[in-house]
Amino acid sequence: MQELFEPLSAGKLELPNRLVMAPMTRSRAGAGGIVTELTAEYYRQRAAAGLIITEGTQPSVRGQGYIQTPGLHSDDQVTAWRAVTDAVHAEGGRIFAQLMHSGRVGHPVLYPDGGLPLGPSPIATGDKLFTPDGMLDHPVPQEMTLDDIAQAVAEFAAAARNAIAAGFDGVELHGANGYLIQQFLADGSNTRTDAYGGTIENRIRFAVEAVRAAADVIGPERVALRISPGGTSSGVSESDTPELYSALTEALAPLGLAYLHVMEELNRETTRRISAEWPGTLILNPHPTPDAFPATPEHGAEALREGVADAIAFGELWLANPDLPARIKAGGPYTKADRATFYGGDHHGYTDYPPLP
């Protein structure tokens, strides 16, 4: 497992190891999308990661897709996040905020004005939103106008600026898992006929503009993008995955981003292609086969040895093992995550996983 403990550069950050904490929605933010002292403790406990990437954080009111998720679009939210970043940095850690505009993955109950969620085209996800009052169908989203698209790009940039004000080392834009950026990329959710739909060149346009806008305000070395090539979360579908992501990586390569984060979806060949074409640091959440969920240290070490990644992102392992580097070095044991406490609740299943004695 020595490969996992070699240092690495990501932008201007020097990572002491290649064990990245993947973004994981935990739905424990307070009213107004404000993180709490419990959030600070949760991330502080995991500061031994080479890099922490936070849970998806909405860049705007309309960007919210789930209950009790945090934001980075108000002064109060920025102030609250500062306590989190201070706690992580006090332990010697590094932390990026993941900016997640959920797009059509939303519902009017989440928004003060009761309006519809936004999407590239008026096509519903087919999924539901969990609420304390029961499951609600995602509605058909409002198709974004050109002004809406420009506004969303500006919101990513503003949230990136807020993240730096909150003490984050950088931001990762969420272009994976069926959220707004992937909704534009995927031809199953994007049936537009203007400059943002149709051809691959047009469908990557929103992703490139959003990444470039964030890079323009905080510097490209502090900006990253997460993608999930071929992923079908929240009803998205892509008919041209290899060509689509080759075009996207080619368009982003000259920007000099901190890293590209790939959520692998049972397709190591696509991962190899992206890795070969991406000139910078590549972080991989490795899932080459159906039995690779959740990813294990062995999956990560294999990916590093194969040369398809520079660092490895783990989700469930970090959730239940706050001292993951120490456990890997010791050869385990690994605590099993309690799925019943993944979303919402108090400290149970959040900050009460014990470290090794």
Side-chain angles (χ1 to χ4, degrees):
M1 297 294 174
Q2 185 55 41
E3 300 93 340
L4 295 168
F5 293 94
E6 296 174 356
L8 175 70
S9 296
K12 291 186 177 179
L13 279 183
E14 295 299 321
L15 313 186
N17 61 59
R18 300 182 184 224
L19 296 164
V20 175
M21 179 176 168
M24 292 175 283
T25 294
R26 303 306 308 274
S27 292
R28 282 171 166 83
I34 295 174
V35 294
T36 67
E37 293 180 2
L38 207 57
T39 311
E41 175 61 13
Y42 170 70
Y43 287 114
R44 184 200 67 78
Q45 292 175 350
R46 292 154 178 81
L51 176 66
I52 291 171
I53 308 169
T54 72
E55 61 214 91
T57 302
Q58 53 259 17
S60 62
V61 171
R62 197 60 106 239
Q64 185 173 357
Y66 303 97
I67 62 171
Q68 295 178 284
T69 52
L72 260 172
H73 54 84
S74 76
D75 291 343
D76 288 344
Q77 292 166 352
V78 171
T79 299
W81 274 116
R82 170 61 76 169
V84 176
T85 60
D86 284 349
V88 170
H89 290 148
E91 296 291 333
R94 293 139 299 278
I95 183 167
F96 267 42
Q98 190 190 65
L99 304 180
M100 184 177 87
H101 192 306
S102 296
R104 68 179 187 168
V105 181
H107 195 280
V109 299
L110 296 171
Y111 317 126
D113 66 0
L116 289 169
L118 301 175
S121 300
I123 304 171
T125 67
D127 289 344
K128 298 176 183 290
L129 168 72
F130 169 83
T131 78
D133 299 320
M135 303 296 287
L136 303 176
D137 290 328
H138 287 153
V140 174
Q142 177 181 317
E143 183 174 61
M144 297 173 73
T145 66
L146 294 180
D147 285 344
D148 291 331
I149 292 172
Q151 178 64 29
V153 169
E155 288 168 354
F156 275 116
R161 185 183 293 109
N162 284 342
I164 300 305
F168 284 101
D169 297 300
V171 300
E172 175 184 284
L173 275 63
H174 200 342
N177 299 98
Y179 299 120
L180 184 61
I181 290 177
Q182 192 184 13
Q183 290 162 29
F184 271 95
L185 294 173
D187 52 359
S189 51
N190 180 355
T191 58
R192 302 176 71 94
T193 57
D194 61 7
Y196 291 89
T199 66
I200 285 177
E201 180 183 11
N202 285 351
R203 282 185 278 126
I204 69 171
R205 191 182 309 277
F206 177 72
V208 174
E209 288 181 352
V211 170
R212 184 179 289 125
D216 285 346
V217 296
I218 66 172
E221 73 282 357
R222 289 178 165 179
V223 176
L225 176 68
R226 190 186 203 208
I227 56 175
S228 54
T232 58
S233 297
S234 299
V236 297
S237 61
E238 302 164 354
S239 68
D240 49 11
T241 295
E243 298 80 12
L244 175 65
Y245 287 93
S246 286
L248 180 61
T249 54
E250 181 181 0
L252 295 176
L255 300 184
L257 302 180
Y259 62 83
L260 182 67
H261 181 184
V262 178
M263 171 68 176
E264 191 172 46
E265 300 275 1
L266 310 180
N267 193 334
R268 182 52 57 89
E269 283 305 313
T270 297
T271 302
R272 291 191 185 102
R273 178 170 177 163
I274 292 171
S275 178
E277 294 171 346
W278 181 250
T281 299
L282 190 145
I283 297 174
L284 179 67
N285 198 196
H287 304 112
T289 61
D291 62 357
F293 289 88
T296 66
E298 290 75 18
H299 294 132
E302 289 168 4
L304 292 179
R305 286 194 294 268
E306 186 181 340
V308 296
D310 300 297
I312 304 298
F314 296 110
E316 278 193 40
L317 271 178
W318 276 111
L319 186 154
N321 300 276
D323 57 343
L324 183 59
R327 288 176 184 265
I328 293 175
K329 286 182 177 180
Y334 301 106
T335 304
K336 185 174 176 60
D338 177 11
R339 289 180 170 269
T341 60
F342 275 12
Y343 307 110
D346 54 17
H347 68 286
H348 295 291
Y350 191 51
T351 59
D352 64 346
Y353 287 106
L356 287 173

